[in-house]
Amino acid sequence: MGRFSRESFVIRDKDVLREDYEPENLEERGEELDEYAGALRPVVQGWQPNNVFLYGVTGVGKTAATHVLLNELLETTDEYDDVGLNLVEINCTGLTSSYQVAVNLVNEIRSPSHPLTTVESPRSTMSETGYPQKRVFNELYDDLEDIGGTVLVVLDEIDNIGGDDDILYELPRARSHLDLDVKLGVIGISNDFKFRDNLSPKVKDTLCEEEVLFPPYDATELQNILSKRADQALFDDVFTSEVIPLCAALAAQDSGSARQALRLLRKAADIAQSESIDAGEERQITEDHVRDAKRAIERQQVVDGMHSLTRHGQYILLAMCTLTADGDTPERTKKIHEQYTKLTGEFGSEPLKRRRLHDHLSDLTLHGILEQVEDSSGRGNYNQYKLDVTFASALEALEDEFDNLGNLRRKAVRNGLIDSP
Ligand code: ADP
Ligand code: MG
């Protein structure tokens, strides 16, 4: 068989399992969709839109719900001649200020790249730097006024702008302040609860007029979401009955994210598919494939995180693995620092001060490699950390970077953390 054989034993349509695949219907989100639709209903009447704020952790269907609902809203408003609805969507990943968001909105209007955006302006795009903020806002208002009718501006992952939230104050007020004719509504979407809490009060009042919370999915909901997707993506009877419940349970325990659950299923299907191709016959997806998938995904997560770590970040992760192998985690920063200092000595390197250790620990936490836990001993507030990935994933990733981890591996085997190789 050639390297690029078209033979497929397990996967019928892999695109259906992709991150960016958009299902036509969302499962298990009836209540949230009703609430969301309610907030958007004035648009159908041709009235001034509400501003809406959606929040919930990543992977719980906020973007998917927005795409489903706004497309439905477009279809409905198309039937009425007296409502002209237009959408402008951006994703704010990497945009850390209101200025950048404003420039990106202008450029999205002039050169659309997001699926929901319905406008297109003949004006040329702006450079991302070099203008006074006021100028950029004015260009934006001019563009919006030119579009006219009703314009909903979708700011996905708006939490990226942090505390620099001017635009969330300015945009909803532009119509009355500048006497514009265009009816503007802002839909803000955030993965971060703290972002909402930290919004300045004047922003909170307007942007959070209507709020819709997307809670994490539980295991049963995830099973349903996965089953629907598996029916389309996989051939019949190619997975054992435990596969979907296990993917659902693992994701529910961790994040409650449909994205995570789908990722597990996709990876497990991939592994079974490769095995089938190697064997030249169908191999069902089993529980073991799901567990292998979990490890492979985590390992990749550690490897990706590791690329952005300095050598000292890697020593700290190694220190955490050593403490874990000894059964000492969660552990306080003081003890982590001691273990880390010992390790740097063994590698002939100068240790960083305790204060700098904190930065690295937060970094590792941000990458989902470590988890910060509350100290339950009641002796006051200490930061404690433990691995947030399996020991095996962390060790394998570390073994790519360090040559002599045989002792650590043997100790982990002795203490039952990993199977012997
Ligand atoms: P968020 O924007 O909250 O991070 P997404 O809307 O991007 O999450 O959803 C993540 C993935 O999970 C997408 O592939 C999406 O299609 C899928 N998904 C999320 N919720 C549902 C649902 N209720 N039904 C079907 N698929 C869903
Ligand atoms: Mg999203």
Side-chain angles (χ1 to χ4, degrees):
M1 218 181 309
R3 275 180 216 274
F4 296 108
S5 135
R6 283 198 72 169
E7 195 123 20
S8 184
F9 292 97
V10 178
I11 300 170
R12 192 203 309 268
D13 184 353
K14 188 155 181 202
D15 289 349
V16 176
L17 293 176
R18 278 171 58 111
E19 306 262 300
D20 52 4
Y21 175 81
E22 302 213 327
E24 268 172 42
N25 290 307
L26 291 190
E27 311 299 325
E28 310 290 353
R29 277 301 185 223
E31 244 171 73
E32 289 76 14
L33 286 171
D34 283 349
E35 216 179 310
Y36 196 173
L40 294 172
R41 204 157 292 130
V43 172
V44 187
Q45 307 285 353
W47 298 337
Q48 171 67 31
N50 292 314
N51 301 303
V52 190
F53 193 66
L54 304 190
Y55 57 111
V57 297
T58 169
V60 294
K62 302 181 299 298
T63 302
T66 301
H67 287 183
V68 166
L69 264 195
L70 290 185
N71 278 316
E72 219 175 292
L73 185 64
L74 274 176
E75 276 175 31
T76 309
T77 51
D78 263 355
E79 295 167 17
Y80 300 102
D81 291 336
D82 57 344
V83 192
L85 173 61
N86 270 296
L87 306 175
V88 180
E89 175 189 33
I90 60 169
N91 183 300
C92 302
T93 303
L95 310 181
T96 53
S97 65
S98 280
Y99 178 92
Q100 288 178 329
V101 170
V103 174
N104 275 268
L105 276 174
V106 169
N107 288 340
E108 178 69 18
I109 292 169
R110 299 179 183 183
S111 170
S113 68
H114 286 74
L116 280 181
T117 303
T118 57
V119 299
E120 177 138 30
S121 148
R123 287 188 208 153
S124 43
T125 55
M126 297 180 82
S127 143
E128 300 232 355
T129 51
Y131 300 100
Q133 174 149 313
K134 196 148 180 51
R135 162 83 190 279
V136 181
F137 276 70
N138 284 336
E139 299 256 343
L140 176 60
Y141 299 141
D142 284 348
D143 283 353
L144 290 167
E145 189 70 344
D146 279 353
I147 298 167
T150 303
V151 183
L152 290 178
V153 176
V154 178
L155 303 173
D156 202 350
E157 314 213 15
I158 185 64
D159 41 300
N160 283 284
I161 65 169
D164 182 354
D165 57 12
D166 287 353
I167 190 157
L168 300 179
Y169 178 69
E170 298 279 337
L171 206 49
R173 282 178 181 70
R175 179 175 150 93
S176 57
H177 279 188
L178 304 171
D179 207 16
L180 304 179
D181 285 325
V182 59
K183 294 173 184 161
L184 271 184
V186 176
I187 298 176
I189 305 176
S190 169
N191 291 326
D192 180 356
F193 291 92
K194 269 188 253 130
F195 176 74
R196 179 192 170 281
D197 297 340
N198 294 339
L199 285 172
S200 39
K202 56 180 189 178
V203 171
K204 214 181 283 182
D205 280 351
T206 23
L207 181 64
C208 308
E209 242 171 8
E210 300 279 347
E211 289 184 317
V212 187
L213 167 69
F214 280 62
Y217 294 112
D218 65 25
T220 319
E221 292 167 332
L222 288 174
Q223 277 196 43
N224 188 10
I225 293 171
L226 287 176
S227 303
K228 290 276 164 24
R229 207 63 80 88
D231 284 346
Q232 284 173 271
L234 306 176
F235 289 115
D236 296 337
D237 304 323
V238 290
F239 48 93
T240 62
S241 61
E242 310 91 57
V243 165
I244 285 180
L246 182 59
C247 291
L250 290 171
Q253 276 160 23
D254 186 13
S255 60
S257 146
R259 183 177 293 121
Q260 188 184 19
L262 285 162
R263 206 176 272 169
L264 268 173
L265 181 63
R266 180 175 58 224
K267 189 77 195 173
D270 263 349
I271 298 173
Q273 169 85 350
S274 312
E275 281 185 18
S276 304
I277 291 178
D278 288 345
E281 63 179 25
E282 183 187 296
R283 292 281 156 87
Q284 272 199 318
I285 312 175
T286 64
E287 208 170 325
D288 283 344
H289 291 131
V290 177
R291 299 205 184 274
D292 289 348
K294 178 166 190 275
R295 275 187 46 190
I297 292 168
E298 278 187 355
R299 182 166 181 279
Q300 192 56 47
Q301 189 186 343
V302 187
V303 169
D304 289 348
M306 200 103 96
H307 286 310
S308 66
L309 295 182
T310 59
R311 196 63 174 165
H312 284 277
Q314 296 174 356
Y315 289 142
I316 293 165
L317 181 57
L318 184 53
M320 283 304 294
C321 283
T322 310
L323 291 167
T324 307
D326 286 331
D328 289 338
T329 53
E331 186 57 284
R332 286 164 53 182
T333 36
K334 179 162 179 284
K335 289 287 167 51
I336 299 170
H337 191 252
E338 284 170 14
Q339 181 64 43
Y340 152 79
T341 305
K342 212 169 105 194
L343 275 170
T344 49
E346 287 168 21
F347 286 100
S349 177
E350 270 306 301
L352 300 171
K353 295 268 184 330
R354 275 273 288 282
R355 203 163 26 83
R356 293 278 294 117
L357 179 80
H358 280 282
D359 298 339
H360 285 282
L361 288 170
S362 331
D363 239 28
L364 285 159
T365 307
L366 213 66
H367 283 102
I369 299 171
L370 297 186
E371 183 187 353
Q372 197 180 327
V373 284
E374 300 274 316
D375 186 345
S376 52
S377 69
R379 282 173 298 148
N381 263 335
Y382 299 111
N383 280 337
Q384 295 204 100
Y385 292 88
K386 63 180 180 105
L387 286 179
D388 196 19
V389 293
T390 56
F391 181 86
S393 318
L395 180 62
E396 279 170 29
L398 282 168
E399 282 172 338
D400 290 346
E401 302 289 332
F402 296 95
D403 292 330
N404 38 2
L405 301 185
N407 282 338
L408 178 57
R409 181 170 273 280
R410 278 187 290 277
K411 187 191 282 174
V413 171
R414 258 197 326 274
N415 294 344
L417 279 167
I418 45 175
D419 299 330
S420 43

mmCIF file of all heavy atoms in Angstrom, residues 8 10-18 21 229-235:
data_model
loop_
_atom_site.group_PDB
_atom_site.id
_atom_site.type_symbol
_atom_site.label_atom_id
_atom_site.label_comp_id
_atom_site.label_asym_id
_atom_site.label_seq_id
_atom_site.Cartn_x
_atom_site.Cartn_y
_atom_site.Cartn_z
ATOM 1 N N SER A 8 -9.619 3.904 4.189
ATOM 2 C CA SER A 8 -9.996 4.401 5.508
ATOM 3 C C SER A 8 -10.884 3.380 6.192
ATOM 4 O O SER A 8 -11.899 2.972 5.656
ATOM 5 C CB SER A 8 -10.733 5.730 5.374
ATOM 6 O OG SER A 8 -11.009 6.230 6.654
ATOM 7 N N VAL A 10 -11.740 3.480 9.741
ATOM 8 C CA VAL A 10 -12.434 3.935 10.940
ATOM 9 C C VAL A 10 -13.170 5.253 10.688
ATOM 10 O O VAL A 10 -14.315 5.430 11.051
ATOM 11 C CB VAL A 10 -11.419 4.112 12.106
ATOM 12 C CG1 VAL A 10 -12.118 4.643 13.347
ATOM 13 C CG2 VAL A 10 -10.701 2.796 12.400
ATOM 14 N N ILE A 11 -12.456 6.153 10.023
ATOM 15 C CA ILE A 11 -12.958 7.519 9.913
ATOM 16 C C ILE A 11 -13.679 7.733 8.584
ATOM 17 O O ILE A 11 -13.102 7.522 7.514
ATOM 18 C CB ILE A 11 -11.794 8.521 10.042
ATOM 19 C CG1 ILE A 11 -11.123 8.330 11.406
ATOM 20 C CG2 ILE A 11 -12.294 9.956 9.884
ATOM 21 C CD1 ILE A 11 -9.828 9.081 11.582
ATOM 22 N N ARG A 12 -14.933 8.122 8.672
ATOM 23 C CA ARG A 12 -15.732 8.384 7.479
ATOM 24 C C ARG A 12 -15.456 9.797 6.978
ATOM 25 O O ARG A 12 -15.217 10.031 5.807
ATOM 26 C CB ARG A 12 -17.217 8.232 7.826
ATOM 27 C CG ARG A 12 -18.161 8.192 6.632
ATOM 28 C CD ARG A 12 -19.586 8.592 6.989
ATOM 29 N NE ARG A 12 -20.158 7.891 8.131
ATOM 30 C CZ ARG A 12 -20.880 6.770 8.047
ATOM 31 N NH1 ARG A 12 -21.108 6.210 6.895
ATOM 32 N NH2 ARG A 12 -21.374 6.226 9.139
ATOM 33 N N ASP A 13 -15.514 10.770 7.907
ATOM 34 C CA ASP A 13 -15.298 12.159 7.519
ATOM 35 C C ASP A 13 -14.581 12.897 8.638
ATOM 36 O O ASP A 13 -15.168 13.347 9.608
ATOM 37 C CB ASP A 13 -16.645 12.830 7.239
ATOM 38 C CG ASP A 13 -16.476 14.250 6.728
ATOM 39 O OD1 ASP A 13 -15.323 14.743 6.718
ATOM 40 O OD2 ASP A 13 -17.485 14.857 6.346
ATOM 41 N N LYS A 14 -13.280 13.013 8.480
ATOM 42 C CA LYS A 14 -12.476 13.568 9.557
ATOM 43 C C LYS A 14 -12.776 15.046 9.808
ATOM 44 O O LYS A 14 -12.636 15.543 10.921
ATOM 45 C CB LYS A 14 -10.999 13.385 9.231
ATOM 46 C CG LYS A 14 -10.119 13.768 10.381
ATOM 47 C CD LYS A 14 -8.805 13.071 10.347
ATOM 48 C CE LYS A 14 -8.003 13.505 11.551
ATOM 49 N NZ LYS A 14 -6.590 13.300 11.355
ATOM 50 N N ASP A 15 -13.189 15.748 8.757
ATOM 51 C CA ASP A 15 -13.463 17.179 8.913
ATOM 52 C C ASP A 15 -14.499 17.441 10.001
ATOM 53 O O ASP A 15 -14.476 18.477 10.654
ATOM 54 C CB ASP A 15 -13.957 17.785 7.598
ATOM 55 C CG ASP A 15 -12.840 17.869 6.573
ATOM 56 O OD1 ASP A 15 -11.665 17.647 6.972
ATOM 57 O OD2 ASP A 15 -13.122 18.135 5.395
ATOM 58 N N VAL A 16 -15.412 16.481 10.172
ATOM 59 C CA VAL A 16 -16.473 16.652 11.161
ATOM 60 C C VAL A 16 -15.909 16.680 12.590
ATOM 61 O O VAL A 16 -16.522 17.212 13.508
ATOM 62 C CB VAL A 16 -17.521 15.529 11.006
ATOM 63 C CG1 VAL A 16 -18.597 15.616 12.067
ATOM 64 C CG2 VAL A 16 -18.165 15.603 9.631
ATOM 65 N N LEU A 17 -14.718 16.115 12.763
ATOM 66 C CA LEU A 17 -14.120 16.124 14.097
ATOM 67 C C LEU A 17 -13.143 17.282 14.279
ATOM 68 O O LEU A 17 -12.556 17.456 15.333
ATOM 69 C CB LEU A 17 -13.390 14.799 14.363
ATOM 70 C CG LEU A 17 -14.260 13.546 14.472
ATOM 71 C CD1 LEU A 17 -13.388 12.309 14.649
ATOM 72 C CD2 LEU A 17 -15.242 13.656 15.635
ATOM 73 N N ARG A 18 -12.983 18.076 13.243
ATOM 74 C CA ARG A 18 -12.028 19.192 13.360
ATOM 75 C C ARG A 18 -12.537 20.272 14.319
ATOM 76 O O ARG A 18 -13.721 20.439 14.520
ATOM 77 C CB ARG A 18 -11.812 19.829 11.988
ATOM 78 C CG ARG A 18 -10.806 19.101 11.107
ATOM 79 C CD ARG A 18 -10.868 19.715 9.722
ATOM 80 N NE ARG A 18 -10.579 21.148 9.801
ATOM 81 C CZ ARG A 18 -9.475 21.710 9.321
ATOM 82 N NH1 ARG A 18 -8.581 20.983 8.720
ATOM 83 N NH2 ARG A 18 -9.298 23.010 9.427
ATOM 84 N N TYR A 21 -14.960 22.764 12.720
ATOM 85 C CA TYR A 21 -16.205 22.279 12.134
ATOM 86 C C TYR A 21 -17.389 22.881 12.894
ATOM 87 O O TYR A 21 -17.411 22.900 14.114
ATOM 88 C CB TYR A 21 -16.273 20.751 12.200
ATOM 89 C CG TYR A 21 -17.591 20.200 11.710
ATOM 90 C CD1 TYR A 21 -17.827 20.045 10.358
ATOM 91 C CD2 TYR A 21 -18.602 19.872 12.604
ATOM 92 C CE1 TYR A 21 -19.046 19.555 9.905
ATOM 93 C CE2 TYR A 21 -19.829 19.384 12.166
ATOM 94 C CZ TYR A 21 -20.045 19.241 10.812
ATOM 95 O OH TYR A 21 -21.246 18.768 10.371
ATOM 96 N N ARG A 229 -21.735 13.622 16.854
ATOM 97 C CA ARG A 229 -20.596 13.894 15.991
ATOM 98 C C ARG A 229 -20.012 12.587 15.454
ATOM 99 O O ARG A 229 -19.635 12.486 14.280
ATOM 100 C CB ARG A 229 -19.561 14.689 16.790
ATOM 101 C CG ARG A 229 -18.648 15.586 16.002
ATOM 102 C CD ARG A 229 -19.355 16.706 15.271
ATOM 103 N NE ARG A 229 -19.709 17.842 16.090
ATOM 104 C CZ ARG A 229 -18.914 18.872 16.327
ATOM 105 N NH1 ARG A 229 -17.723 18.936 15.802
ATOM 106 N NH2 ARG A 229 -19.322 19.863 17.076
ATOM 107 N N ALA A 230 -19.938 11.569 16.324
ATOM 108 C CA ALA A 230 -19.360 10.284 15.912
ATOM 109 C C ALA A 230 -20.197 9.644 14.809
ATOM 110 O O ALA A 230 -19.659 9.031 13.890
ATOM 111 C CB ALA A 230 -19.247 9.346 17.112
ATOM 112 N N ASP A 231 -21.522 9.791 14.891
ATOM 113 C CA ASP A 231 -22.391 9.223 13.851
ATOM 114 C C ASP A 231 -22.006 9.728 12.471
ATOM 115 O O ASP A 231 -22.052 8.990 11.491
ATOM 116 C CB ASP A 231 -23.856 9.616 14.103
ATOM 117 C CG ASP A 231 -24.457 8.807 15.238
ATOM 118 O OD1 ASP A 231 -23.830 7.796 15.621
ATOM 119 O OD2 ASP A 231 -25.528 9.196 15.751
ATOM 120 N N GLN A 232 -21.657 11.006 12.406
ATOM 121 C CA GLN A 232 -21.298 11.575 11.104
ATOM 122 C C GLN A 232 -19.860 11.272 10.731
ATOM 123 O O GLN A 232 -19.541 11.060 9.572
ATOM 124 C CB GLN A 232 -21.408 13.107 11.159
ATOM 125 C CG GLN A 232 -22.801 13.661 11.123
ATOM 126 C CD GLN A 232 -22.738 15.155 11.358
ATOM 127 O OE1 GLN A 232 -22.781 15.617 12.501
ATOM 128 N NE2 GLN A 232 -22.597 15.928 10.293
ATOM 129 N N ALA A 233 -18.976 11.294 11.737
ATOM 130 C CA ALA A 233 -17.546 11.271 11.427
ATOM 131 C C ALA A 233 -16.999 9.868 11.254
ATOM 132 O O ALA A 233 -16.043 9.659 10.525
ATOM 133 C CB ALA A 233 -16.770 11.990 12.532
ATOM 134 N N LEU A 234 -17.594 8.893 11.962
ATOM 135 C CA LEU A 234 -17.005 7.560 11.992
ATOM 136 C C LEU A 234 -17.923 6.556 11.309
ATOM 137 O O LEU A 234 -19.136 6.746 11.251
ATOM 138 C CB LEU A 234 -16.776 7.131 13.449
ATOM 139 C CG LEU A 234 -15.953 8.100 14.305
ATOM 140 C CD1 LEU A 234 -15.881 7.621 15.738
ATOM 141 C CD2 LEU A 234 -14.548 8.265 13.727
ATOM 142 N N PHE A 235 -17.323 5.475 10.825
ATOM 143 C CA PHE A 235 -18.139 4.395 10.268
ATOM 144 C C PHE A 235 -18.920 3.718 11.385
ATOM 145 O O PHE A 235 -18.573 3.843 12.549
ATOM 146 C CB PHE A 235 -17.245 3.383 9.543
ATOM 147 C CG PHE A 235 -16.682 3.911 8.260
ATOM 148 C CD1 PHE A 235 -15.317 4.110 8.111
ATOM 149 C CD2 PHE A 235 -17.525 4.214 7.191
ATOM 150 C CE1 PHE A 235 -14.796 4.611 6.922
ATOM 151 C CE2 PHE A 235 -17.006 4.714 6.001
ATOM 152 C CZ PHE A 235 -15.642 4.919 5.872
#
